Amino acid sequence: MPHIQPPESTFNFAQHLLAANAKRVDKLALIDDAGQLTYGQLADQVRRFAGGLKQLGLQREQRVLLLMHDSSDWVVAFLGSLYAGVVPVAVNTLLTAEDYAFMMGNSRAQAALVSAALLPTLQAALDLGGHEVKHLVVSRSAQPLPAGAVDMAAVIDQGQACVPASTHVDEPAFWLYSSGSTGKPKGTVHSQGNLFWTAELYGKPVLGLTENDTVFSAAKLFFAYGLGNALSFPLSVGATVVLMAERPTPQAVFKRLMDHQPTVFYGAPTGYGGMLASPDLPAKSQVALRMCSSAGEALPRDIGERWTAQFGCEIIDGIGSTEMLHIFLSNRPGDVRYGTTGKPVEGYEVQLRNEDGSVIEGHDQIGDLYIKGPSSALMYWNNREKSRDTFRGEWTKSGDKYTRDVDGYYTYAGRNDDMLKVSGIYVSPFEVEATLVQHPAILEAAVIGKEDSDGLTKTKAFIVLKAGQSLSEEEVKAFVKERLAPYKYPRFMEFVDELPKTATGKIQRFRLRDLERERG
């Protein structure tokens, strides 16, 4: 563990951030689509919103659903809740009413904090019943509010600034729901101290963030990656954050890169690929980037190399998880090996294990990735079976397959559920996908297993071509055969217009597998 003074047993992360920036009252903290807040204004709104929650009758440790687009209101709602000892349950903004109904019932949320644009979907979820929500707080509504709802600005304006709750460093502070790619989403419970540790172990030493940086994250705040990128990391050092409510299309991202000149940008591989393929890609002289970050899925070497050639800055690729809160395995500035996920972040330990649980000591063997570090979640709410399977003493099982080379660099092989066995040998779908996207005509690819006429598993590739491009199956097969072992090239392929993805840009291979099963 690096020489970092750990938090005291009584620790409130929101109060920690406000204290760290107490002398920066006039420094710009947040820029969003509607305006901006200084650190002094942010501190005032956080304290008032915390007081407003108490005036609504919310008690310490009670949950509140946080369904909001990225904005300064999101940050105030999250930190104000932590400050009051209330537990925000930050959720994906692209889900269905049925999903939100489940999350409200599962978390027993007593209030819902919602952006006006998302109110119709939330209202439909509330109408489904099965929840305990008593208060509805709406952010930035231009329309009359439903009966009983209150405006967030009014809660802040009328709130009496209060003292921070004397929370324990290990006390549940907030929840993030897992993606739920297998079964119902799981409420992942994080402590007050976990936000501190990710900022101290990754945001400061690896990214090297300072108060002179302006940062912009395409990954949204409800995503563990985005929460660190655009809240806990920059606010820990007094940096300025650019927030964007809309979807991170290439054009929307380019606008922020050019208008606000951020020095650090955080994205996901799919987004970087889409930007590089856009005819509107800015020139290096139009942006101020000193560093970029990638997570969510492994970054293909080709995308990293082309981005660096375009903008003259590295993409620091890493892997984190909802369960570990942020990145624990990463490339580093000046030590980027594209195609790998780098080495363990100082303060974390990483192991590769065989299916029997034994530790793999050698090199270039595919194993299950386990992590030990201070930012691990406490549990999955009301799900003992899944909690015991994932949180194993000091170690957390990631669900990812990796290899480690002789130099200590780790390379992603795929999710456990995505791995293929072809001719009795593990095949990483990501390895095949990363090879496919090296072809100049291919924008994206996803690889799954498909049984042939003999019942044997072979690889199938779903391919998205760049605009105006065409390819034959034989051309694709020949391209891959030149670069990979013969048993890995896709025996089957299908050209599609788009791939199914999560809100955070991860390819949903399970949907492609379901499609194949439906076809029979």
Side-chain angles (χ1 to χ4, degrees):
M1 178 75 67
H3 297 296
I4 297 169
Q5 183 66 37
E8 300 289 338
S9 58
T10 299
F11 178 78
N12 183 300
F13 183 74
Q15 168 60 13
H16 167 73
L17 285 188
L18 300 192
N21 294 295
K23 296 181 180 179
R24 297 189 179 100
V25 290
D26 296 323
K27 172 83 187 322
L28 190 56
L30 305 173
I31 304 169
D32 70 8
D33 301 334
Q36 56 191 42
L37 287 182
T38 64
Y39 273 99
Q41 292 168 328
L42 174 62
D44 180 63
Q45 289 198 15
V46 166
R47 293 188 178 104
R48 285 181 173 275
F49 187 70
L53 290 177
K54 290 187 175 183
Q55 287 172 229
L56 289 174
L58 287 160
Q59 303 295 312
R60 184 164 158 184
E61 298 185 19
Q62 288 184 327
R63 269 78 64 191
V64 294
L65 190 81
L66 202 171
L67 173 61
M68 297 170 66
H69 287 136
D70 281 18
S71 65
S72 61
D73 273 5
W74 200 108
V75 177
V76 169
F78 183 83
L79 292 178
S81 298
L82 263 61
Y83 195 88
V86 172
V87 179
V89 179
V91 297
N92 187 329
T93 58
L94 298 175
L95 302 180
T96 66
E98 289 74 17
D99 292 320
Y100 298 133
F102 167 78
M103 291 171 176
M104 287 188 291
N106 180 250
S107 66
R108 297 200 301 276
Q110 299 297 301
L113 317 176
V114 61
S115 292
L118 298 166
L119 182 57
T121 304
L122 181 65
Q123 191 64 61
L126 291 167
D127 292 345
L128 292 173
H131 60 81
E132 300 178 20
V133 172
K134 301 177 182 66
H135 306 282
L136 183 59
V137 180
V138 184
S139 166
R140 302 181 181 177
S141 178
Q143 304 297 324
L145 297 179
V150 294
D151 184 76
M152 181 169 170
V155 174
I156 294 170
D157 291 341
Q158 298 165 19
Q160 298 295 315
C162 62
V163 297
S166 297
T167 48
H168 192 280
V169 67
D170 293 331
E171 185 172 320
F174 65 100
W175 296 15
L176 300 171
Y177 271 94
S178 68
S179 60
S181 60
T182 54
K184 290 288 188 183
K186 301 179 290 293
T188 310
V189 182
H190 278 284
S191 70
Q192 292 277 349
N194 285 359
L195 289 159
F196 169 87
W197 283 114
T198 56
E200 293 298 320
L201 295 176
Y202 192 77
K204 294 179 182 179
V206 177
L207 297 178
L209 293 181
T210 73
E211 65 179 351
N212 298 319
D213 281 308
T214 296
V215 308
F216 171 49
S217 177
K220 299 300 185 181
L221 285 162
F222 65 75
F223 182 24
Y225 178 49
L227 182 62
N229 298 344
L231 195 155
S232 56
F233 294 178
L235 299 188
S236 289
V237 299
T240 299
V241 183
V242 177
L243 298 168
M244 177 179 75
E246 65 186 291
R247 286 180 56 246
T249 62
Q251 288 70 29
V253 171
F254 296 155
K255 177 174 172 54
R256 273 71 181 186
L257 292 181
M258 292 188 287
D259 287 355
H260 300 295
Q261 296 290 295
T263 54
V264 178
F265 171 70
Y266 312 86
T270 300
Y272 284 111
M275 286 188 282
L276 286 168
S278 172
D280 301 321
L281 185 68
K284 178 182 176 182
S285 60
Q286 293 177 281
V287 302
L289 296 172
R290 69 168 181 83
M291 178 192 300
C292 294
S293 166
S294 180
E297 283 198 310
L299 180 75
R301 178 195 303 271
D302 178 63
I303 289 177
E305 290 175 346
R306 287 193 288 131
W307 185 269
T308 297
Q310 174 72 17
F311 293 110
C313 67
E314 298 170 317
I315 300 179
I316 311 302
D317 187 32
I319 182 176
S321 67
T322 304
E323 291 76 13
M324 294 303 296
L325 189 56
H326 213 276
I327 291 172
F328 49 80
L329 188 62
S330 182
N331 282 273
R332 287 163 176 74
D335 183 22
V336 171
R337 188 173 292 190
Y338 285 131
T340 80
T341 317
K343 298 179 179 181
V345 172
E346 191 174 2
Y348 294 89
E349 294 181 45
V350 170
Q351 288 182 349
L352 296 183
R353 299 184 187 179
N354 291 305
E355 291 179 0
D356 63 5
S358 60
V359 177
I360 296 173
E361 301 291 354
H363 307 296
D364 302 318
Q365 300 178 54
I366 294 176
D368 292 315
L369 184 70
Y370 284 74
I371 314 98
K372 181 168 70 172
S375 63
S376 176
L378 301 172
M379 61 177 164
Y380 296 129
W381 181 256
N382 285 354
N383 199 330
R384 180 168 182 152
E385 180 182 0
K386 290 289 187 182
S387 294
R388 293 178 70 175
D389 183 57
T390 298
F391 305 109
R392 304 187 178 193
E394 293 184 293
W395 292 89
T396 299
K397 182 180 180 182
S398 73
D400 296 293
K401 297 279 192 183
Y402 262 83
T403 62
R404 181 182 59 246
D405 68 18
V406 69
D407 296 322
Y409 292 85
Y410 286 73
T411 298
Y412 182 68
R415 293 288 296 172
N416 285 359
D417 293 341
D418 292 333
M419 292 297 293
L420 309 173
K421 267 199 171 179
V422 179
S423 302
I425 306 171
Y426 267 129
V427 173
S428 160
F430 177 76
E431 181 185 16
V432 183
E433 291 163 6
T435 301
L436 286 165
V437 297
Q438 291 176 30
H439 194 289
I442 295 177
L443 177 63
E444 294 179 317
V447 171
I448 64 169
K450 174 181 170 66
E451 289 189 354
D452 64 13
S453 57
D454 297 321
L456 301 174
T457 298
K458 298 293 190 296
T459 52
K460 175 173 181 176
F462 291 81
I463 296 170
V464 179
L465 296 176
K466 294 178 181 176
Q469 299 292 321
S470 63
L471 275 179
S472 70
E473 290 192 16
E474 291 310 312
E475 286 174 316
V476 175
K477 290 178 180 178
F479 181 81
V480 177
K481 284 180 181 179
E482 291 176 356
R483 291 161 175 79
L484 292 179
Y487 64 91
K488 296 180 180 180
Y489 82 87
R491 288 343 193 249
F492 308 98
M493 68 186 66
E494 184 174 336
F495 295 97
V496 295
D497 293 332
E498 61 181 355
L499 298 173
K501 298 187 183 78
T502 67
T504 54
K506 294 181 182 179
I507 295 171
Q508 295 175 309
R509 295 177 188 83
F510 74 95
R511 294 197 182 279
L512 298 174
R513 290 194 291 268
D514 290 345
L515 176 64
E516 285 297 311
R517 280 194 289 269
E518 290 170 5
R519 291 171 171 174

